[in-house]
């Protein structure tokens, strides 16, 4: 069975097609083949990211600059937005910050939390790696978890705590330690790496920082913390936070596909086709998309629908992990190490052909196999399982786990054309070992180290709008690359500035400008979904009143 990922850039999250961290450029989502070639090769019947970067290196102004088909998208992130705490009679007695492994405690008498919506966090967005046959579930991802309520005093800046992965309940206190800033940093890095990988397709990015594994681990950590409440209530809250941003994206994207003439293929059952569109409402499986469209000349390429649908592999995988988390938690409490290893066993059974599944089920199983160990490891970290080990164990064992994954990848032809995202088996071990080290050395910052304080606003914004960034970044890259390539028609550009035209940095800046626009246009839906006051730009800095703070 061939792997659905192909190539390098735009989609690190090959989740759209099935596995790994996505490989290759802007469109590794070969979801374009989803209904044609993929029927034989791709166990994931859905789209994906064929993360291949745009072909923007051809300095021929007379040649169109198409970009490759999108890859399955891996890959995710969890935004976070916290409300500024309201004044209370007196501060809480001191307690340990919950993040990442802190415990909750009841407030002292007279300090009950104020009524109102609870803070929440978002999924970690995923990024994709090499092309894989499976509609990937975000490798470098995908996804979205955020941390708990932020520390806030009356005159202090506000931090965000939003997204599907945010803790479900946290008391509002005048001065309460809150978010784990180390986790916020990891989530922001994962999102940035996803965008960079999907644009450039640099094969070393998923190796240096496997975003999707990191994002799923952070989401699992916060899910375990929330499951101190009734599971049905927690699952309902997570799903509620995740779906409205997806519905907005689907309403725009699917409408655009239909306007351009998308519909059931010849000989395809129309009723089945319309029923499959319901996966844009509840993505338990890969939603369909138009593999080939005319596009918008000079603005959107003809295969824009594939990258647009690519990130949904991460949403699908995240949703299944949320639904399965109560079972994971029960198993962790009885057999923690067997539970962590179980997804790797599933991945091995799929990889070696001992277990086969239909094209509608394969993406789900590959997602659990490749990233389930990272999600469960995040839950184990929250439960304190890792802290029971002697300090030398994880630094001694994790390099061997990563080494095995790397050996497998190299032995199976790791290269720029056959990236880690093409090899979910190798990706599962590499990501697990990497996440083990990150969680082991977790410093649990309640405040930023001095060197990172200047980045507080950007990191807080990415955590607060992780779902929005993940859902829209592929289309933003597609628009940026298409419009930038139009400059090849100017003689001064291809004759005197070819180095600038071939550089990824102008396109990256343009892409982030478009992403910022999407945050302003659609990001507030994450607040509405979390039952918070909508904010256009939740960077964590509260506006200053000219009259000074209220008293």
């Amino acid at each position: 069975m061939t792997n659905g990922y192909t190539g390098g850039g735009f989609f690190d999250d090959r989740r759209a097609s099935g596995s790994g961290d996505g490989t290759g450029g802007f469109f590794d989502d070969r979801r374009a083949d989803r209904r044609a070639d993929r029927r034989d090769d791709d166990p994931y019947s859905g789209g994906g990211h064929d993360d291949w970067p745009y072909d923007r290196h051809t300095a021929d102004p007379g040649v169109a600059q198409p970009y490759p088909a999108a890859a399955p998208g891996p890959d995710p992130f969890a935004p976070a937005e916290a409300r500024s705490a309201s004044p209370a009679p007196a501060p809480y007695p001191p307690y340990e910050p919950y993040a990442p492994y802190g415990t909750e405690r009841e407030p002292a008498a007279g300090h009950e939390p104020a009524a109102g919506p609870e803070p929440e966090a978002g999924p970690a967005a995923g990024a994709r790696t090499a092309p894989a046959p499976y509609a990937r579930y975000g490798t470098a991802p995908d996804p979205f978890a955020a941390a708990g309520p932020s520390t806030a005093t009356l005159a202090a800046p506000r931090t965000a705590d939003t997204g599907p992965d945010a803790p479900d309940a946290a008391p509002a206190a005048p001065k309460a330690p809150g978010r784990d800033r180390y986790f916020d940093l990891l989530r922001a890095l994962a999102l940035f790496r996803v965008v960079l990988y999907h644009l450039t397709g640099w094969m070393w990015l998923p190796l240096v920082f496997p975003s999707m594994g990191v994002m799923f681990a952070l989401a699992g950590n916060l899910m375990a913390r929330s499951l101190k409440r009734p599971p049905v209530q927690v699952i309902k809250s997570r799903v509620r936070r995740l779906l409205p941003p997806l519905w907005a994206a689907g309403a725009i994207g699917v409408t655009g596909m239909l306007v351009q003439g998308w519909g059931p293929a010849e000989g395809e059952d129309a009723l089945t086709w319309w029923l499959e569109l319901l996966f844009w409402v509840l993505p338990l499986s890969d939603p369909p998309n138009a593999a080939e469209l005319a596009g918008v000349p000079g603005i959107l390429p003809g295969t824009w629908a594939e990258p647009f649908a690519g990130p949904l592999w991460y949403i699908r995988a995240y949703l299944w992990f949320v639904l399965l988390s109560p079972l994971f938690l029960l198993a962790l409490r009885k057999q923690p190490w067997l539970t962590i290893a179980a997804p790797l066993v599933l991945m091995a059974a799929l990889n070696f052909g001992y277990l086969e599944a239909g094209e509608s089920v394969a993406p789900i199983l590959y997602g659990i196999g490749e990233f389930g160990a990272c999600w469960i490891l995040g839950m184990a970290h929250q439960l304190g399982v890792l802290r029971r080990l002697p300090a030398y164990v994880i630094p001694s064992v994790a390099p061997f786990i990563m080494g095995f994954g790397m050996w497998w990848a190299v032995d199976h032809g790791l290269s720029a054309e056959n990236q880690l995202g093409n090899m979910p088996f190798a990706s599962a071990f590499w990501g697990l070992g990497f996440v083990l080290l990150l969680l082991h050395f977790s410093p649990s910052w309640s405040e930023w180290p001095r060197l990172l304080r200047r980045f507080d606003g950007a990191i807080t914004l990415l955590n607060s709008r992780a779902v929005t960034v993940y859902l829209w970044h592929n289309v933003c890259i597609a628009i940026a690359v298409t419009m930038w390539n139009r400059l090849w028609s100017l003689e001064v550009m291809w004759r005197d500035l070819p180095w600038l035209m071939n550089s990824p940095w102008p396109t990256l800046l343009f892409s982030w400008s478009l992403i910022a626009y999407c945050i302003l246009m659609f990001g507030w839906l994450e607040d509405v979904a979390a039952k918070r006051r909508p904010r256009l730009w939740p960077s964590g800095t509260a506006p200053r009143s000219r009259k000074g703070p209220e008293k």
Side-chain angles (χ1 to χ4, degrees):
M1 173 169 59
T2 62
N3 193 316
Y5 304 156
T6 70
F10 183 25
F11 271 104
D12 181 16
D13 285 347
R14 67 299 274 327
R15 290 300 171 229
S17 55
S19 90
D21 187 3
T23 67
F26 176 29
F27 286 103
D28 189 13
D29 282 352
R30 65 264 58 200
R31 292 185 175 265
D33 308 324
R34 178 177 182 211
R35 292 189 176 272
D37 300 342
R38 185 201 54 72
R39 300 195 177 186
D40 298 326
D41 298 335
D42 190 355
Y44 298 33
S45 66
H49 316 56
D50 195 12
D51 287 352
W52 280 100
Y54 291 107
D55 183 8
R56 49 189 169 65
H57 300 291
T58 301
D60 183 355
V63 177
Q65 307 290 327
Y67 49 85
D75 133 328
F77 315 91
E81 169 161 10
R83 300 170 306 235
S84 184
S86 54
Y92 282 121
Y95 66 95
E96 274 306 306
Y98 64 74
Y101 17 64
T103 56
E104 299 177 353
R105 59 169 294 171
E106 295 296 327
H111 298 278
E112 291 75 8
E118 62 204 24
E120 316 184 24
R128 225 204 79 100
T129 58
Y134 334 101
R136 260 201 101 154
Y137 330 78
T139 57
D142 82 206
F144 286 95
S150 61
T151 304
T153 58
L154 209 57
R158 296 167 55 177
T159 56
D161 186 4
T162 66
D165 296 321
D168 287 302
K175 188 175 182 179
R179 305 176 58 81
D180 186 331
R181 305 309 275 170
Y182 175 67
F183 277 16
D184 285 352
L185 176 62
L186 293 181
R187 190 175 297 109
L189 288 174
L191 270 173
F192 182 82
R193 201 237 66 175
V194 166
V195 175
L196 181 61
Y197 179 83
H198 286 176
L199 175 65
T200 64
W202 292 333
M203 67 167 292
W204 52 268
L205 282 173
L207 301 175
V208 171
F209 196 85
S211 292
M212 300 315 300
V214 171
M215 286 162 37
F216 280 118
L218 299 180
N221 180 280
L222 291 169
M223 187 68 184
R225 181 180 184 273
S226 296
L227 282 173
K228 296 174 183 177
R229 301 190 301 130
V232 173
Q233 182 181 358
V234 174
I235 292 173
K236 180 181 177 181
S237 175
R238 285 290 185 274
V239 173
R240 185 196 71 225
R241 299 173 195 177
L242 183 65
L243 294 183
L246 171 64
W247 293 341
I252 295 174
V254 173
T255 300
M257 297 179 212
L258 294 174
V259 167
Q260 288 194 304
W262 182 43
E266 185 177 353
E268 184 177 9
D269 182 68
L271 177 59
T272 300
W273 186 86
W274 283 102
L275 289 176
E276 286 181 350
L277 288 182
L278 293 177
F279 288 128
W280 282 94
V281 178
L282 187 64
L284 292 174
S285 186
D286 292 327
N289 67 85
E292 296 180 2
L293 291 175
V296 181
I299 298 177
L300 273 174
T303 56
W304 66 269
E306 292 183 336
F308 182 84
L312 297 187
W313 72 262
Y314 177 87
I315 306 297
R316 179 200 64 221
Y318 178 89
L319 184 58
W320 276 105
F321 281 137
V322 166
L323 296 175
L324 294 173
S325 284
L327 297 179
F328 290 158
L329 191 62
L330 290 175
L332 264 175
R333 287 170 173 163
K334 295 183 178 180
Q335 295 290 340
W337 301 111
L338 289 178
T339 304
I340 294 172
L344 299 178
V345 175
L346 173 62
M347 187 71 256
L350 293 168
N351 187 72
F352 296 108
Y354 296 108
L355 178 64
E356 296 183 0
E359 64 177 20
S360 60
V361 178
I364 299 170
L365 295 182
Y366 272 94
I368 295 173
E370 188 174 358
F371 298 106
C374 292
W375 180 282
I376 296 172
L377 192 64
M379 300 183 75
H381 181 263
Q382 175 63 224
L383 296 179
V385 172
L386 304 184
R387 295 195 300 274
R388 300 171 194 165
L389 297 174
Y392 64 86
V393 172
I394 290 179
S396 301
V397 172
F400 286 97
I401 298 175
M402 296 177 67
F404 175 77
M406 179 56 60
W407 169 80
W408 183 271
V410 172
D411 188 61
H412 287 74
L414 179 67
S415 66
E417 291 73 30
N418 187 29
Q419 298 189 19
L420 188 65
N422 277 338
M423 310 172 191
F425 184 72
S427 174
F429 284 90
W430 180 261
L432 176 62
F434 195 93
V435 167
L436 265 173
L437 292 175
L438 288 180
L439 294 180
H440 175 73
F441 294 111
S442 172
S444 299
W445 298 323
S446 58
E447 296 183 0
W448 289 116
R450 181 174 300 176
L451 293 176
L452 295 175
R453 289 174 189 170
R454 69 186 68 181
F455 304 108
D456 174 68
I459 293 173
T460 300
L461 177 66
L462 287 177
N463 277 265
S464 301
R465 295 293 181 256
V467 179
T468 300
V469 172
Y470 189 75
L471 286 173
W472 291 97
H473 77 277
N474 276 344
V475 171
C476 292
I477 293 175
I479 295 173
V481 170
T482 303
M483 296 184 71
W484 180 255
N485 281 338
R486 296 185 66 185
L487 296 179
W488 283 109
S489 62
L490 301 178
E491 182 179 358
V492 65
M493 300 302 292
W494 61 263
R495 185 188 61 190
D496 300 327
L497 299 172
W499 59 270
L500 181 63
M501 293 301 300
N502 287 320
S503 172
W505 305 118
T507 314
L508 182 65
L509 291 175
F510 190 10
S511 298
W512 276 107
S513 299
L514 295 175
I515 291 171
Y517 175 77
C518 289
I519 289 174
L520 291 173
M521 291 294 295
F522 309 110
W524 56 272
L525 287 169
E526 295 191 48
D527 293 329
V528 173
K531 298 183 178 180
R532 289 186 303 269
R533 178 176 60 85
R535 299 178 65 191
L536 290 179
W537 196 258
S539 61
T541 303
R544 295 181 180 179
S545 171
R546 295 181 179 179
K547 299 180 181 180
E550 298 180 4
K551 297 182 180 180

